Amino acid sequence: MSTHHRYPWTVSAMHWLLAALVGANFALGWLLDDMEALMAAHRALGIAILGLALLRIVNTMRVRRRLPASVNPAGSLPHLGEKLAHGLLYLCLIAIPLLGWLKTNAAGHGLSALGWALPTLVERNRQLSHLFGDLHAATATLFAALIGLHIAAALWHQLAHPGQGLARMLPIGPKRQRGG
Ligand code: HEM
Ligand code: HEM
């Protein structure tokens, strides 16, 4: 079992950066109302989230031996629930921007990031554009529910076992392990 009590600082930094960016992109997504400037910002931020999420996964694999053990007993139902929820959160971070990308291409628009043209994943197709748009909206709603559950679980752990909840995911504080 891991003897580490906190997440390495690179993991917590990426966790909170992505949480802030995802929150902002939900706000933009819900405000979208045929306003091209908002839509452009939503797409650009969403592509940045996709890139950062891939970097985050690579980083988590890099530091996997220094990740703290779960606060839930290994093999228990809450432990399985936690693994499932974290896996689904990662899946959403990748799948939702990809569905947005597919929707944008199917609607006949190209995408670029940092001045580089991104590949066109599907040709223009009205039906697919509607399908990917609906899937993007539906999975984003599920993602919002999952994030709500995740926050509730984090707050519950914080109240039930002070010091084992939010503190584990803060980039600063006592008992920080060396390296990141
Ligand atoms: C984690 C990243 C993202 C989140 C959380 C997110 C969330 C949302 C939400 C909540 C909506 C409103 C859905 C509704 O009508 O109820 C939306 C719409 C939309 N998003 Fe995203 N989005 C993300 C990434 C992207 C990306 C990367 C793109 C494109 C490159 C994109 C393109 C769109 C488009 C085109 C719509 C309008 C869909 C339609 O009207 O059918 N999104 N998004
Ligand atoms: C877009 C929003 C969020 C996503 C996608 C997300 C995702 C994750 C994931 C995947 C983990 C597992 C550790 C890792 O692999 O990095 C995690 C851990 C954690 N998250 Fe979030 N998170 C989000 C927002 C939040 C918010 C708003 C809070 C604040 C209440 C929070 C509190 C925590 C805590 C305390 C942990 C550590 C759990 C433990 O003790 O092991 N997260 N998060």
Side-chain angles (χ1 to χ4, degrees):
M1 191 200 267
S2 171
T3 53
H4 298 269
H5 302 292
R6 302 167 67 96
Y7 284 89
W9 74 269
T10 49
V11 174
S12 17
M14 294 203 80
H15 173 269
W16 295 113
L17 175 65
L18 272 162
L21 297 183
V22 167
N25 224 25
F26 265 111
L28 285 173
W30 283 322
L31 285 172
L32 288 178
D33 195 14
D34 290 334
M35 284 181 65
E36 193 38 48
L38 280 189
M39 179 52 101
H42 178 79
R43 287 184 191 135
L45 191 52
I47 293 297
I49 289 170
L50 177 60
L52 286 169
L54 292 173
L55 264 179
R56 174 175 173 181
I57 291 171
V58 171
N59 183 59
T60 302
M61 283 159 61
R62 184 183 70 87
V63 297
R64 64 189 176 282
R65 286 192 190 83
R66 281 183 277 132
L67 297 176
S70 169
V71 291
N72 296 307
S76 66
L77 208 59
H79 184 245
L80 292 178
E82 176 199 321
K83 293 276 160 227
L84 181 69
H86 288 172
L88 287 174
L89 284 168
Y90 275 121
L91 189 67
C92 285
L93 279 176
I94 305 292
I96 293 168
L98 273 181
L99 285 167
W101 183 340
L102 286 164
K103 150 84 190 170
T104 304
N105 286 167
H109 307 291
L111 280 173
S112 60
L114 304 172
W116 294 73
L118 294 175
T120 298
L121 303 178
V122 281
E123 292 307 320
R124 185 178 193 145
N125 179 321
R126 246 182 94 122
Q127 277 177 330
L128 279 184
S129 169
H130 286 303
L131 175 70
F132 289 132
D134 288 348
L135 284 175
H136 182 69
T139 44
T141 307
L142 284 178
F143 190 26
L146 202 61
I147 293 170
L149 214 88
H150 176 67
I151 294 174
L155 295 181
W156 166 255
H157 278 296
Q158 178 65 28
L159 289 175
H161 318 278
Q164 284 190 39
L166 281 169
R168 286 155 54 91
M169 202 30 119
L170 291 181
I172 47 164
K175 285 206 213 153
R176 165 62 57 209
Q177 299 291 329
R178 284 166 73 82

